[in-house]
Amino acid sequence: MSPTHTDNLKSSLSEAGGHLKQAASDTASAVRGAAAAAGEEMRLGRANLKADLADGAVAGLSALEEAAGAGGEQVDQLLEKGRDLVDSAADLIRERPIASFGVAFATGWIIAKLARSGDR
């Protein structure tokens, strides 16, 4: 079974979180190194931070794409359920046309009655 957009979204978000944690760790290392060894450590830490933030941004964009795909999957599922419901109603009407007409008539009568009583 291939992973769904939702699974990919979770994975991408987890990866983005890992990159951001690593960026924080690299920043802390850079600050400690700057106090001890100053310039070179700071430049290296800045480079690592930029790389980690860039990786985090890429992972975040991937998560957004997966979120869009997951939303699309949900819409497709809802549309399919709607089609199934319409098909079921059509089958019921074909099987019991008189009962269906009676229910439709009674529903219309009740709605009309409620509308008229709301106008008073």
Side-chain angles (χ1 to χ4, degrees):
M1 181 176 178
S2 65
T4 64
H5 288 286
T6 303
D7 294 335
N8 291 336
L9 170 62
K10 288 177 185 177
S11 174
S12 295
L13 287 174
S14 176
E15 182 181 344
H19 288 299
L20 292 175
K21 285 179 186 176
Q22 186 62 44
S25 175
D26 288 342
T27 302
S29 295
V31 170
R32 284 191 299 272
E40 186 58 36
E41 281 293 320
M42 197 62 165
R43 283 189 289 277
L44 179 62
R46 236 185 338 238
N48 286 338
L49 175 61
K50 286 180 183 178
D52 291 336
L53 289 175
D55 289 345
V58 168
L61 289 173
S62 177
L64 286 174
E65 289 173 0
E66 295 299 333
E73 286 177 351
Q74 296 297 323
V75 168
D76 290 344
Q77 289 174 357
L78 288 173
L79 288 174
E80 186 62 33
K81 286 181 182 180
R83 283 187 209 103
D84 291 344
L85 184 59
V86 168
D87 290 343
S88 295
D91 290 343
L92 182 62
I93 290 169
R94 276 189 221 101
E95 291 172 6
R96 298 188 177 132
I98 294 174
S100 298
F101 176 77
V103 168
F105 181 80
T107 303
W109 183 81
I110 290 170
I111 291 172
K113 195 76 162 157
L114 290 173
R116 273 188 248 126
S117 67
D119 290 340
R120 292 182 189 171

